[in-house]
Amino acid sequence: PYCARLCPANENECLCGTSQRRVVQWDFRAGKVVQEYEEHQANVNAVLFLDASRFVSSSDDKSLRVWDYGIPVPVRYISEPTMHSMPALCLHPSGKYFAAQSLDNKIVVYEAAGSYHLLPRKRFTGHMSAGYACQLSFSPDGRYLAAGSRRGDISVWDIATGDVRLRLLGHRERQPPPQPP
């Protein structure tokens, strides 16, 4: 698995995005996979519950798919020629939209219900994420969006204006991993 999300409506189940191009639904009590969602054509990098019965998955196939929980047929397939892989997803606290960290150094936003359309005016830039699965998060009040960067910093945007409000500097230099004894 590349990612896992606990099911908000059933504490005994979770979804995992896998390197086998699918999302699997695990039942902890049975200790087995009870459903497989197999429409993606590449690794599934992120899974996000939009509500208790619907979730979205993103893949290296440069698509998003919206699913009803427990039904292995997508209700919406989102793919455009200009899309890039989106390895991180985050739901806005209002539940009205979700953000996706795109590997073209942008964060794009989609409706979280209805037609699931891209919201072109809600696009956040100014950070470097290409090649990395940098995570993102909304503030609890929904006014700000924060995301990591491959440079080791965190950018914080104002949702209303799209402006970078704060940049927190992280690691200045990469340290080599410790060598085993």
Side-chain angles (χ1 to χ4, degrees), residues 14 31 43 46 50 57 82 87 92 97 138 161 175 177 179:
C14 77
N43 301 334
L50 301 175
S57 58
T82 59
H92 187 267
Y97 49 89
F138 286 102
T161 65
Q175 298 295 322
Q179 298 298 317

Side-chain angles (χ1 to χ4, degrees), residues 120-131:
R121 292 192 177 156
K122 296 259 187 231
R123 184 168 293 200
F124 303 94
T125 61
H127 70 303
M128 299 292 289
S129 62

Side-chain angles (χ1 to χ4, degrees), residues 121-148:
R121 292 192 177 156
K122 296 259 187 231
R123 184 168 293 200
F124 303 94
T125 61
H127 70 303
M128 299 292 289
S129 62
Y132 293 83
C134 299
Q135 298 299 303
L136 61 161
S137 181
F138 286 102
S139 62
D141 64 5
R143 292 179 53 206
Y144 301 100
L145 174 65

Side-chain angles (χ1 to χ4, degrees), residues 75-171:
V75 295
R76 181 83 161 97
Y77 169 71
I78 303 166
S79 181
E80 301 290 333
T82 59
M83 283 177 67
H84 289 76
S85 181
M86 294 177 260
L89 304 171
C90 182
L91 185 65
H92 187 267
S94 70
K96 293 180 180 178
Y97 49 89
F98 67 93
Q101 177 74 271
S102 178
L103 289 185
D104 63 347
N105 301 317
K106 294 180 185 125
I107 297 173
V108 293
V109 179
Y110 291 86
E111 294 175 336
S115 61
Y116 303 97
H117 281 114
L118 174 69
L119 301 174
R121 292 192 177 156
K122 296 259 187 231
R123 184 168 293 200
F124 303 94
T125 61
H127 70 303
M128 299 292 289
S129 62
Y132 293 83
C134 299
Q135 298 299 303
L136 61 161
S137 181
F138 286 102
S139 62
D141 64 5
R143 292 179 53 206
Y144 301 100
L145 174 65
S149 167
R150 74 180 197 177
R151 294 182 296 215
D153 59 359
I154 296 173
S155 297
V156 180
W157 291 269
D158 183 309
I159 296 297
T161 65
D163 296 334
V164 175
R165 303 295 268 171
L166 180 65
R167 194 169 316 271
L168 303 169
L169 299 179
H171 305 285

Side-chain angles (χ1 to χ4, degrees), residues 1 3-18 20-38 44 47 49 52-55 57 67-73:
C3 62
R5 291 283 181 166
L6 295 172
C7 176
N10 184 345
E11 64 186 28
N12 296 305
E13 292 186 352
C14 77
L15 295 176
C16 297
T18 72
Q20 284 88 31
R21 305 179 317 226
R22 67 185 74 155
V23 177
V24 295
Q25 182 177 327
W26 278 92
D27 184 318
F28 302 136
R29 293 166 298 187
K32 65 180 184 176
V33 172
V34 294
Q35 186 64 264
E36 294 186 13
Y37 306 85
E38 301 186 62
V44 177
V47 175
F49 277 94
S53 63
R54 197 161 271 189
F55 68 93
S57 58
W67 312 81
D68 282 329
Y69 189 72
I71 301 173
V73 178

